[in-house]
Amino acid sequence: MMNFLVKTIANAGALAVAVWLLDKITLTGGSTGEKAVTLILVALVFGLVNLLVKPIVTVLTFPLFILTLGLFTLVVNALMLLLTSWVADKLDLSFHVEGFWTAVLGGLIVSIVSWALNAFLPDKD
């Protein structure tokens, strides 16, 4: 359970950095507390999307991973971020990613920041 909470907090932090750095990834809302709750909910959605959808997409696009020497990972991460934005919209969460190239850059930022945070945060259950 602790590992799940740590990964969710790391994803929320990574998404916050992407919102902060990129103008076309938006998080609207009232107070800072409301934005923090929204970020945690979006991080949960992002985690579920990565848990359920990403492995299927990865298997189906495996030849493209080999052909591009792994660079296709950027496209898959962008698609997962766009899917998260779509699901967040359906759940009335105020998180939106505008455009594919913004999602590519946002996916790269989220991956790097999440990796860095997970390296420093404890991962024991």
Side-chain angles (χ1 to χ4, degrees):
M1 184 67 171
M2 184 66 169
N3 191 24
F4 174 74
L5 290 174
V6 168
K7 289 192 180 291
T8 301
I9 291 169
N11 278 339
L15 288 166
V17 170
V19 167
W20 179 58
L21 289 176
L22 300 174
D23 291 338
K24 292 186 178 183
I25 298 179
T26 57
L27 178 71
T28 56
S31 67
T32 303
E34 289 176 4
K35 288 182 181 179
V37 169
T38 302
L39 267 177
I40 290 175
L41 291 174
V42 171
L44 286 170
V45 170
F46 187 64
L48 285 173
V49 165
N50 280 330
L51 178 71
L52 300 174
V53 178
K54 189 174 183 177
I56 297 167
V57 172
T58 301
V59 167
L60 292 176
T61 59
F62 188 69
L64 291 172
F65 279 96
I66 293 173
L67 185 65
T68 63
L69 302 175
L71 287 177
F72 196 71
T73 305
L74 295 172
V75 173
V76 171
N77 288 342
L79 293 174
M80 296 306 108
L81 195 59
L82 284 171
L83 182 58
T84 300
S85 175
W86 180 78
V87 171
D89 182 50
K90 296 298 178 189
L91 295 174
D92 287 330
L93 298 172
S94 57
F95 176 80
H96 182 69
V97 179
E98 184 180 325
F100 176 75
W101 293 109
T102 302
V104 170
L105 191 54
L108 183 62
I109 291 168
V110 168
S111 296
I112 291 170
V113 173
S114 182
W115 170 80
L117 288 175
N118 281 315
F120 292 107
L121 292 172
D123 62 350
K124 295 189 172 51
D125 276 333

